[in-house]
Amino acid sequence: MPQENKKRGRREEKKRKRDEHEVYNGASPKRQRSEEGVEDEVKIVLDVDPALDDQEYGGAPLPDDVPFYGLLDEEEKTYFKRADTLLELNQFADDEERNLFLANVYREAGGKELKIASSQSCSRLMERLIRLSTSEQLKNLFQKFTGHFLHLVQQRFASHCCEALFLQAAPIVTQELIAPLAESSQPADDEGIKMSMEGLFLSVVKELEGNLGYLMTDNFASHTLRVLLVVLSGRPLRSTATTSMLQSKKKEKIDIVGRRNESRAEETASRTVPESFQAALDEMVLGTVAGLDTTYLQTLATHPTGNPVLQLLIELEFSRSGKAKAREQISLFRRLLPDDPPVEDTQSASFVKGLQYDPVGSRLLEAIVQYAPGKVFKTFYKSLFRVNIGNLVRNDIAGFVVSRILERLSHDDLQYAVGQICQHIPLLIERNRTSIIKTMIERCQIRDVEMQAIADTITKAYGGSGASMLMKMIRFGNDDTQAMAPERKSQLEAQDAGRLHGSLLAQTMVSAIGPLRDMVCNSITAMDTSTLLLMAKDRTATHVLQVALTCEGQSKAFRRKIIQKFFGHITELSLDAIASHVVDSFWTSTEDLLFVRERIAEDLLQSEAALRESFSGRAVWRNWMMDLYKRRKLDWIAKAKGTQDVEASYANPKPRDGTVPKSGIELARERFAATKAGKTAQGRRGIGTGANGVQPPGRPGGISAKV
């Protein structure tokens, strides 16, 4: 008889007993599926006193009160999924055809916008529609959502549609502010009132008012709330710092094939927003923290969902109000850290020490250090960090806070911090945590702090000299990946973060003029040609070589010595997808070495056929302007010397009638021959020499004028 399949272990036993207990109490451990294929409604039971009203619950509706917008039937789902596929592929003949298709989709979606936005299978269509919509269509859709935003932002799929709507509608506010639209072109709401995009955003703020404290910790509404704060503040919509704060790396990217983002430059720049947005933002910030005490805010600092919102609020408070607002008792910063200054044995100091080592809370501490006004930061630093900065770098979490602190230290404070951190550099290198060393070197270069102690400590930590020191730093030449397939090798290199951080450290060292640059350059000089070739073809190590050749202030002797080692291998490098970038860097690094440039160009010219058959080879051929070198070498040399613009050279193309243009020496000979012929003709006409050649005024040619 077959035995029952059982799993062993204490956790499995506890899980089995818990499931039996839930089944005994009438609760199913798993969500059941009905026969019709529709999931049964899952009721969430909250431990809330029924006597409490909605206002005491935070003003947000209870889960049982969330409206249900209905489901799409199968025919509608099929149509909208097909439309989503067509929009994703973007295989329309022209923009007019696509706009006509969008208009048809909007017509079919009329009255079903809320259903589509909250649908798991069709919400992607709504996001693509928002990305492709005109200003008029966005306003109409905005008005369809108005009155439902409080529920939509808390819905799993509709919240993404709200984010996309806010991001796409934000530039329209700036456009209307610069060039206001005519009243007739603005859509009207149900009561016939004309609405601008500014008014639509303000209606969203009014609708969410009173619920912000709850929405900060909601899994879905938190992201939408951050987007709304960014839009109201006028911050860039697509900058790196903004994107990392608004969404996680796991967020699905809804893209359209072949569509270029023409407004990319506008999205990475600050926007002009109306004054009403600033007032609405102030009201939102005050409304968010009005009913929150210090204990709740400090708990929110370590909340995975509430922490990013708190970071953004702190940044907006510091950037918009400055040090005056930071010292007010009603400010968010002062409510979070009530002690001024936060010296030892205070509640604020204990809270900050806890944030230093918390994976979530340390990000809030980084935001405070980065955006706090100068006087606030100095007090903050001297009270809590100056004495223990050397010990903080030893912790994996606190090290990120130290990196932010180093970016704001003055010359004297940075010099003191370097002395405290240098003794821990061997430990940091052993743990592959070289980002702190990299930041310290960058700041020392900016603040003009002596870096000899850093160089000596790094040399002792790696325990090598010559070529071995750099090879240990970037972990090059000590593995068996050279014989692997390129795809597998790329996978292993991507997983090895230590190689990447070592390469970044070496690039920073070679960019700093002084003993650190000499260390890296001496290591590269000590390598033989075979090692340099492997280094140039390595995905991580090649950047060190490129930066060493092109960094500012690099000596001519070093550049000439390294490039000459690659003579005879230029074609091999050009045909490699990674090493071809090294050949491109040769052009920049030989700016004052014309004979080296000509030698490399000759090697490329001899391998023209092979280069034209390779993608990377064609790129090298184009970057080195080999067509110009092949047809008009003198113009190429003038360009290489920097005495002639290549565009001006192309403005006078070679004649197409087959004639060869005359060189400079040929033109000079013709001028000389013409001058000599003119003098001979004048002599035959009797021009005298000496006193006989002097003529009275008004008598040309030395011949007496005849009357």
Side-chain angles (χ1 to χ4, degrees), residues 160 247-253:
H160 295 286
Q247 61 190 27
S248 65
K249 296 180 180 179
K250 298 180 181 179
K251 179 178 173 61
E252 181 183 359
K253 303 297 188 298

Side-chain angles (χ1 to χ4, degrees), residues 556-598:
K556 182 188 296 187
F558 171 79
R559 289 182 277 122
R560 183 177 63 250
K561 187 174 183 179
I562 297 300
I563 295 175
Q564 286 178 347
K565 290 186 177 183
F566 290 101
F567 285 169
H569 305 279
I570 299 298
T571 303
E572 178 185 353
L573 297 177
S574 301
L575 297 178
D576 187 84
I578 299 174
S580 60
H581 296 284
V582 178
V583 182
D584 292 338
S585 67
F586 288 167
W587 176 269
T588 305
S589 57
T590 56
E591 184 178 5
D592 51 352
L593 299 170
L594 181 59
F595 70 97
V596 178
R597 277 188 177 180
E598 291 189 35

Side-chain angles (χ1 to χ4, degrees), residues 370-620:
Q370 184 177 2
Y371 297 105
K375 291 185 177 180
V376 176
F377 169 75
K378 289 180 180 179
T379 305
F380 203 61
Y381 169 70
K382 292 180 180 179
S383 303
L384 301 174
F385 297 106
R386 190 174 191 274
V387 178
N388 298 322
I389 193 170
N391 296 325
L392 290 176
V393 298
R394 302 172 60 183
N395 185 269
D396 294 345
I397 304 299
F400 294 100
V401 182
V402 174
S403 297
R404 293 294 186 184
I405 293 175
L406 293 175
E407 294 175 356
R408 300 204 57 181
L409 293 182
S410 61
H411 179 275
D412 296 336
D413 291 334
L414 182 60
Q415 195 169 10
Y416 174 80
V418 169
Q420 298 294 318
I421 296 175
C422 273
Q423 56 185 334
H424 301 289
I425 286 181
L427 179 63
L428 296 176
I429 293 176
E430 182 182 354
R431 295 180 178 179
N432 297 324
R433 297 185 57 250
T434 57
S435 58
I436 300 177
I437 308 175
K438 172 179 172 293
T439 304
M440 184 171 59
I441 294 173
E442 292 174 347
R443 300 308 301 175
C444 288
Q445 185 179 7
I446 294 174
R447 297 296 187 186
D448 196 17
V449 176
E450 178 61 36
M451 291 181 282
Q452 185 62 48
I454 302 176
D456 296 339
T457 309
I458 292 177
T459 304
K460 186 183 299 183
Y462 282 107
S465 59
S468 61
M469 192 276 294
L470 180 59
M471 296 177 70
K472 288 181 180 179
M473 183 181 298
I474 62 179
R475 296 185 178 184
F476 178 72
N478 56 353
D479 54 15
D480 299 330
T481 60
Q482 302 297 335
M484 292 183 179
E487 296 78 6
R488 179 57 179 166
K489 183 179 178 181
S490 301
Q491 293 177 358
L492 294 178
E493 290 178 354
Q495 295 174 0
D496 191 359
R499 295 193 64 187
L500 175 60
H501 288 291
S503 175
L504 293 175
L505 175 61
Q507 295 174 47
T508 305
M509 292 172 60
V510 79
S511 300
I513 301 176
L516 294 173
R517 172 180 289 185
D518 297 339
M519 288 173 53
V520 179
C521 291
N522 292 337
S523 296
I524 296 176
T525 306
M527 295 180 182
D528 55 9
T529 302
S530 59
T531 305
L532 288 175
L533 288 174
L534 293 175
M535 185 176 178
K537 297 178 182 180
D538 186 80
R539 188 179 301 274
T540 305
T542 184
H543 295 284
V544 180
L545 189 59
Q546 295 175 37
V547 175
L549 291 172
T550 59
C551 61
E552 184 180 0
Q554 185 60 273
S555 65
K556 182 188 296 187
F558 171 79
R559 289 182 277 122
R560 183 177 63 250
K561 187 174 183 179
I562 297 300
I563 295 175
Q564 286 178 347
K565 290 186 177 183
F566 290 101
F567 285 169
H569 305 279
I570 299 298
T571 303
E572 178 185 353
L573 297 177
S574 301
L575 297 178
D576 187 84
I578 299 174
S580 60
H581 296 284
V582 178
V583 182
D584 292 338
S585 67
F586 288 167
W587 176 269
T588 305
S589 57
T590 56
E591 184 178 5
D592 51 352
L593 299 170
L594 181 59
F595 70 97
V596 178
R597 277 188 177 180
E598 291 189 35
R599 170 67 184 276
I600 297 175
E602 285 294 333
D603 291 347
L604 294 175
L605 185 60
Q606 294 176 4
S607 306
E608 178 182 0
L611 294 176
R612 290 189 180 277
E613 293 178 358
S614 169
F615 177 80
S616 57
R618 289 192 297 269
V620 172

